[in-house]
Amino acid sequence: MNKRKKQIKNLYEDSFLRFITDQTDELPITPSTRLEQQVIHSLFSEYSSVITRDKKRALIETLGNAFIVKRVEKFLNSKNTWKQKAATYWVGEYELSMFTDDLYHQLQTLDPELLFVTSKSLIKLTNDQFLSDILITGTKRNRLSKSNLLALLDLVEGDISQALNEMMDEHDTYIQTIVLEAMGRRRYVEATTWIQSCLFESEKELKIAALKASRSLEYTGDDLFQSTLIDWVNDPDWEVRLFLSKYLQVMRNHRSITMLTRLASDQNWYVRYNASQSLLAHGEEGISALLSLLSAEDPFTQDIAYATLQKEAIHI
């Protein structure tokens, strides 16, 4: 059987690739057996990430909707989790809306990989309809990583600022950090209100999310905002100081130079490194600050300033 499948693949793959790369408008393949349908289906899955929506629809017509639905249904009901994941992926790729309810119930799975694929396909089918359910489920017991949840939010099309604002009102810290960062990435100006409120929070995650969102928005805030950031230079969590040093590339004024100069003497290497890079991004003022750090009492501060200036000199 495998030998026969390989023969069919060798026969069809060249025509398949020419079709999906627009070298031809017609797919000169008419599968006459179930085995041929399975091979074309496997080619579809293999190259799915580079096939346009129109081409996918044409391939679905070639394969036959009944064949695809039956295959997906069989795999979804399988006890084999890999088959479940494959079928769940196909639901999203083929836009098989008849399986929407099945995927919604599948959000309760304990398998994080299956949960991610399920969430991704649900978003492809319904856009933001189940966004809140996906975030609540994914953050419960950290079933999905923050990067995975942000990747899912990036898939949602259109303006979802209202939905994200409603989720910020849930007062769940983990969800708020993800949503605030997503609002910054989407450059929603509504995020500035939440950024301001996070200034007085004690959780480091919210502080970091506020800094990430501010950097994405290139938001420099008002006098109170900038004054509060000065206090964060001495924040007990090095991660906050790290993201502050990255953010200060955006806030280009005398205050940012002062803060970065202090952060370049931080006890944490990552903070020192990013602070020196941000100083460099400030141009002449930043370079002057780095030159002054060459005579600092702390040898580690001298080293990072020297290394940064030397690297800049090489690039020049």
Side-chain angles (χ1 to χ4, degrees):
M1 184 69 73
N2 288 332
K3 184 178 179 181
R4 178 61 184 145
K5 282 183 178 180
K6 187 175 181 180
Q7 290 173 341
I8 295 170
K9 183 178 180 180
N10 291 337
L11 181 66
Y12 285 160
E13 189 166 21
D14 183 60
S15 297
F16 183 90
L17 289 173
R18 283 192 290 111
F19 175 71
I20 67 172
T21 54
D22 292 324
Q23 295 180 46
T24 178
D25 293 329
E26 295 184 4
L27 181 64
I29 298 173
T30 306
S32 56
T33 66
R34 185 175 179 81
L35 195 60
E36 289 179 343
Q37 285 179 316
Q38 289 178 6
V39 171
I40 296 173
H41 185 218
S42 67
L43 284 169
F44 186 111
S45 299
E46 185 176 347
Y47 295 102
S48 180
S49 62
V50 295
I51 304 176
T52 65
R53 179 172 288 184
D54 289 340
K55 294 290 185 182
K56 285 179 180 179
R57 287 171 179 165
L59 286 166
I60 290 170
E61 290 179 12
T62 300
L63 285 169
N65 195 60
F67 165 79
I68 295 170
V69 169
K70 188 175 181 181
R71 189 170 175 83
V72 167
E73 195 170 31
K74 179 182 177 182
F75 276 41
L76 274 179
N77 294 322
S78 172
K79 292 182 179 180
N80 185 311
T81 56
W82 290 105
K83 287 187 176 181
Q84 290 174 3
K85 291 170 190 175
T88 301
Y89 173 78
W90 296 334
V91 170
E93 291 300 301
Y94 298 139
E95 299 179 6
L96 302 175
S97 57
M98 71 282 290
F99 293 106
T100 300
D101 288 343
D102 296 271
L103 295 197
Y104 179 74
H105 293 303
Q106 197 167 269
L107 285 174
Q108 303 308 314
T109 178
L110 298 177
D111 186 317
E113 289 182 351
L114 182 56
L115 176 58
F116 180 77
V117 179
T118 302
S119 301
K120 187 176 180 180
S121 289
L122 266 178
I123 289 171
K124 285 194 171 186
L125 289 176
T126 67
N127 205 41
D128 64 341
Q129 184 178 345
F130 299 110
L131 198 55
S132 179
D133 297 280
I134 289 169
L135 276 177
I136 291 170
T137 304
T139 54
K140 194 180 296 181
R141 303 187 193 89
N142 296 334
R143 291 167 67 189
L144 290 179
S145 68
K146 183 184 287 188
S147 59
N148 278 341
L149 289 165
L150 284 168
L152 290 171
L153 283 170
D154 286 342
L155 291 174
V156 185
E157 298 176 351
D159 184 358
I160 56 169
S161 56
Q162 183 177 344
L164 294 181
N165 268 298
E166 289 172 359
M167 282 184 267
M168 285 296 292
D169 278 325
E170 293 295 323
H171 302 296
D172 180 292
T173 300
Y174 189 29
I175 289 179
Q176 286 179 327
T177 59
I178 294 165
V179 172
L180 183 55
E181 193 169 335
M183 291 176 81
R185 285 161 72 149
R186 286 175 174 263
R187 303 186 71 81
Y188 290 154
V189 293
E190 297 94 327
T192 57
T193 302
W194 296 108
I195 289 169
Q196 290 280 4
S197 67
C198 287
L199 291 179
F200 308 103
E201 296 288 345
S202 58
E203 293 90 344
K204 72 174 180 181
E205 292 80 8
L206 282 173
K207 292 179 181 178
I208 291 170
L211 288 167
K212 286 184 176 180
S214 297
R215 189 182 184 195
S216 297
L217 290 166
E218 297 184 358
Y219 173 68
T220 56
D222 54 16
D223 190 67
L224 175 62
F225 177 81
Q226 295 186 12
S227 297
T228 304
L229 291 186
I230 292 175
D231 295 332
W232 289 10
V233 171
N234 299 313
D235 195 275
D237 294 302
W238 69 269
E239 296 95 336
V240 173
R241 304 195 304 274
L242 168 64
F243 284 100
L244 175 60
S245 65
K246 290 183 176 184
Y247 161 72
L248 288 171
Q249 281 194 29
V250 174
M251 200 178 88
R252 303 210 173 179
N253 56 30
H254 182 68
R255 275 180 171 168
S256 61
I257 295 289
T258 301
M259 285 188 272
L260 285 169
T261 303
R262 289 170 60 186
L263 288 166
S265 300
D266 196 272
Q267 61 183 355
N268 183 282
W269 182 87
Y270 292 104
V271 177
R272 292 199 303 275
Y273 173 79
N274 282 281
S276 65
Q277 295 301 309
S278 291
L279 278 172
L280 196 60
H282 278 64
E284 290 185 11
E285 281 190 89
I287 291 174
S288 295
L290 286 167
L291 287 169
S292 69
L293 290 173
L294 292 176
S295 57
E297 292 182 7
D298 178 26
F300 295 110
T301 301
Q302 293 177 19
D303 289 344
I304 200 69
Y306 178 77
T308 304
L309 289 167
Q310 187 179 48
K311 184 178 179 181
E312 175 64 9
I314 291 172
H315 284 302
I316 292 172

